[in-house]
């Protein structure tokens, strides 16, 4: 290849872009909903354990492969598997790439909901009540407008490239997201009823720990939240200079992602109890009503009941979710784009349109057959594709590494004693642990 590869210009740029990929609807929407449905503090506890034992090493393995190879995931995995079968590796890369497209096809629909709810609050503030109610009510027409808008927003950033697009926008958007989140938490925690929610969230009900569904939900949530298993983190790793301290960077990304999920819980769960205090029915028994749809019903009503200030809070909240979703969207889009640019010699401009067009096609399919396809896509991705990809990464990093392939690196050699343990942990413990949980998922499904 004659072209110089585009790259992140700083380590902090990489960390913010990767954290931007990790922090998304999964943290702010998925984590609190899962926590509220699975025993509050008990879920939080199991989530932290699963993140440390499995998700963090998986993220390390994924970033590591990308960083060592400095190539897109298809070529990177192909190189890594050269000694047994390059084709096997490349195929695994292609499967990850399909996972990225799958993720985008449902993610951009939900992200479109966030955008339309933000606009709903803005238009209500401006007095356009009819438009506002259309924007705030779910409908196929609304999906047909907002999903493409969201895909276009992602394409506009990706099309600008790694440094000028991804790095620049991630460094701009991530601090805004943090400020908004803190502001909203401070506001919600002062409302009546919030303290009860805080207690449910922070005090674990350990009787829930024996529930196998809890561990499976926590693992799916942790993998999805850290964006592992579709190649997004691998491609970001490949845009960073080869780094000896990858471990530190991966720990920072995990800490940021987990921290934001924790903070989102501090916002959403108390907000649910504020809504309940205000007379809305939020729980039926232990379960949230309407599960994932909840924040689109309960929270807008809660915001509306607060008058004008509520509208401003609503704009902040849904903008926050839209921004978080956008930085996640771009990492998944970059996976197939980089593959087309590097392996198929297509220009970035054309590749961006091609990938966006494909995503648009699948998201329209999901909208057309929403009841059948939407949940199925999410389930296949999070409970099958992502864990299997992670298993593959563990095997690549733990086993194929030492066989003279190009991806040899000090980190898994024996020059630092703790690294030896880390290497063995990835070789033996992670694949076994993951297989055990995976078999459980299969049984539970
Ligand atoms: N991690 C993102 C979130 O929490 C979702 C995501 C999954 C992004 C896979 C990229 C790849 O919302």
């Amino acid at each position: 290849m004659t072209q110089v590869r585009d790259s992140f210009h700083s380590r902090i740029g990489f960390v913010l872009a990767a954290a931007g990929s990790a922090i998304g609807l999964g943290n702010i929407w998925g984590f609190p909903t899962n926590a509220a449905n699975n025993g509050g503090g008990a879920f939080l506890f199991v989530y932290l354990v699963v993140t440390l034992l499995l998700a963090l090493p998986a993220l390390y393995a994924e970033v590591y492969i990308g960083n060592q190879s400095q190539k897109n995931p298809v070529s990177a995995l192909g190189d890594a598997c050269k000694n047994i079968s390059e084709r096997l590796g490349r195929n695994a890369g292609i499967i990850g790439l399909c996972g990225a497209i799958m993720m985008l096809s449902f993610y951009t629909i939900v992200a479109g909901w966030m955008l339309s709810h933000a606009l709903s609050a803005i238009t209500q503030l401006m007095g356009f009540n009819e438009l506002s109610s259309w924007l705030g009510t779910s409908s196929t027409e609304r999906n047909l407008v907002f999903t493409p808008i969201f895909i276009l927003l992602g394409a506009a950033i990706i099309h600008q490239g790694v440094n000028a697009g991804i790095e620049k926008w991630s460094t701009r958007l991530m601090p805004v997201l943090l400020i908004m989140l803190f502001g909203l938490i401070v506001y919600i925690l002062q409302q009546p009823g919030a303290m009860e929610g805080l207690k449910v969230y922070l005090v674990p009900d350990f009787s829930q720990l024996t529930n196998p569904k809890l561990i499976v939900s926590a693992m799916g949530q942790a993998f999805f939240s850290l964006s592992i298993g579709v190649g997004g983190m691998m491609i970001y790793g490949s845009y960073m200079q080869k780094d000896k301290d990858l471990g530190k960077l991966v720990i920072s990304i995990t800490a940021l992602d987990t921290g934001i999920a924790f903070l989102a819980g501090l916002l959403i769960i108390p907000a649910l109890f504020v809504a309940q205090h205000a007379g809305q029915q939020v729980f039926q028994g232990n379960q949230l009503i309407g599960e994932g749809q909840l924040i689109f019903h309960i929270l807008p009503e809660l915001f509306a009941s607060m008058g004008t200030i509520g509208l401003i809070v609503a704009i902040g909240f849904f903008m926050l979710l839209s921004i978080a979703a956008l930085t996640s969207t771009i990492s998944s889009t970059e996976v197939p784009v980089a593959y087309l640019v590097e392996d198929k010699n297509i220009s970035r401009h054309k590749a961006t349109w091609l990938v966006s067009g494909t995503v648009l096609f699948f998201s329209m399919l999901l909208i057309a057959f929403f009841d059948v396809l939407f949940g199925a896509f999410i389930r296949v991705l999070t409970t099958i594709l992502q864990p299997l990809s992670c298993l593959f990464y563990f095997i690549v990093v733990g086993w194929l590494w030492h066989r003279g392939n190009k991806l040899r690196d000090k980190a898994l050699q024996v020059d630092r004693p703790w690294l030896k343990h880390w290497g063995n942990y990835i070789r033996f413990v992670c694949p076994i642990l993951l297989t055990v949980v995976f078999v459980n998922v299969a049984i539970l499904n």
Side-chain angles (χ1 to χ4, degrees):
M1 213 181 306
T2 47
Q3 254 180 343
V4 178
R5 231 170 155 250
D6 200 356
S7 65
F8 292 125
H9 286 187
S10 64
R11 282 162 60 108
I12 183 75
F14 163 73
V15 170
L16 286 179
S21 162
I23 297 164
L25 302 175
N27 301 62
I28 303 169
W29 177 48
F31 179 82
T33 317
N34 257 318
N37 273 339
N38 289 294
F43 182 83
L44 182 61
F45 175 75
V46 174
Y47 180 83
L48 290 178
V49 172
V50 172
T51 299
L52 274 180
L53 292 186
L54 262 180
L56 174 73
L59 178 64
Y60 177 84
E62 179 166 345
V63 174
Y64 185 69
I65 297 170
N67 190 240
Q68 285 302 302
S69 71
Q70 302 277 305
K71 288 183 181 164
N72 71 78
V74 178
S75 300
L77 289 171
D79 275 2
C81 297
K82 228 168 205 153
N83 289 322
I84 49 162
S85 158
E86 185 173 352
R87 173 174 284 190
L88 173 79
R90 289 187 72 85
N91 284 341
I94 299 272
I95 292 176
L97 194 149
C98 295
I101 304 258
M102 263 180 112
M103 173 271 180
L104 287 167
S105 44
F106 67 77
Y107 207 79
T108 50
I109 298 177
V110 183
W113 300 343
M114 305 298 169
L115 213 53
S116 66
H117 273 283
L119 284 178
S120 167
I122 294 174
T123 45
Q124 194 175 341
L125 203 60
M126 290 161 67
F128 301 119
N129 290 345
E130 221 167 286
L131 180 60
S132 161
S133 116
W134 183 80
L135 288 164
T137 316
S138 75
S139 67
T140 305
E141 294 77 25
R142 197 188 66 177
N143 285 341
L144 291 176
V145 174
F146 280 92
T147 307
I149 291 182
F150 209 85
I151 294 175
L152 278 177
L153 278 178
I157 295 180
I158 282 296
H159 159 244
Q160 296 174 38
V162 181
N163 169 249
I166 301 174
E167 185 170 5
K168 190 174 88 189
W169 282 100
S170 302
T171 2
R172 276 185 191 169
L173 294 177
M174 291 308 287
V176 177
L177 184 129
L178 261 181
I179 293 167
M180 279 181 166
L181 188 56
F182 273 114
L184 286 168
I185 292 173
V186 169
Y187 181 79
I188 286 291
L189 286 185
Q190 288 167 8
Q191 305 307 307
M195 286 307 138
E196 198 187 333
L198 204 58
K199 216 161 45 193
V200 168
Y201 182 43
L202 295 180
V203 182
D205 165 11
F206 282 115
S207 68
Q208 298 260 357
L209 285 187
T210 44
N211 179 359
K213 204 183 124 230
L214 182 71
I215 298 175
V216 170
S217 310
M219 188 190 73
Q221 176 64 35
F223 281 2
F224 186 75
S225 186
L226 278 174
S227 311
I228 315 166
V230 298
M233 288 300 190
M234 201 181 289
I235 190 75
Y236 277 11
S238 80
Y239 289 142
M240 193 183 48
Q241 270 188 355
K242 281 199 191 184
D243 201 305
K244 281 195 221 80
D245 285 329
L246 220 53
K248 274 190 203 149
L249 299 182
V250 166
I251 289 172
S252 323
I253 296 162
T254 309
L256 278 170
D257 183 63
T258 311
I260 296 279
F262 175 74
L263 287 177
L266 279 185
L267 171 67
I268 305 280
I269 297 184
L272 294 177
F273 281 81
V274 174
Q276 199 172 40
H277 188 86
Q280 295 186 42
Q281 202 191 355
V282 177
F283 289 95
Q284 202 150 45
N286 270 338
Q287 293 292 301
L288 286 175
I289 294 167
E291 291 225 5
Q293 297 290 332
L294 186 90
I295 63 169
F296 302 108
H297 298 310
I298 300 287
L299 294 182
E301 269 181 57
L302 171 68
F303 296 145
S305 72
M306 296 173 181
T308 312
I309 180 86
L311 285 180
I312 294 168
V313 177
I315 297 171
F317 178 74
F318 287 110
M319 287 307 284
L320 168 85
L321 279 154
S322 305
I323 292 173
L326 186 60
T327 49
S328 297
T329 302
I330 55 180
S331 77
S332 275
T333 314
E334 182 62 16
V335 178
V337 168
Y339 167 68
L340 291 175
V341 171
E342 291 174 6
D343 285 22
K344 301 284 170 207
N345 271 323
I346 296 179
S347 72
R348 175 166 270 273
H349 184 72
K350 258 199 207 140
T352 307
W353 287 119
L354 207 65
V355 171
S356 306
T358 312
V359 171
L360 186 65
F361 171 79
F362 280 108
S363 57
M364 291 298 128
L365 205 67
L366 256 67
I367 291 171
F369 303 99
F370 193 86
D371 291 344
V372 193
L373 289 183
F374 187 77
F377 262 52
I378 298 182
R379 225 169 310 119
V380 169
L381 179 72
T382 56
T383 60
I384 300 176
L385 224 139
Q386 287 188 289
L388 278 185
S389 287
C390 287
L391 189 59
F392 192 74
Y393 300 159
F394 285 139
I395 292 170
V396 165
V397 173
W399 294 91
L400 304 180
W401 222 249
H402 296 285
R403 302 203 177 164
N405 64 51
K406 285 198 276 171
L407 304 180
R408 198 188 294 267
D409 178 76
K410 286 222 166 9
L412 288 174
Q413 292 170 5
V414 205
D415 61 340
R416 286 187 256 172
W418 66 270
L419 279 177
K420 184 178 172 197
H421 298 311
W422 181 229
N424 282 334
Y425 185 72
I426 288 187
R427 268 168 91 104
F428 298 106
V429 184
C430 289
I432 294 173
L433 259 180
L434 190 56
T435 311
V436 169
V437 185
F438 189 69
V439 169
N440 263 312
V441 174
I443 293 171
L444 279 178
N445 275 332

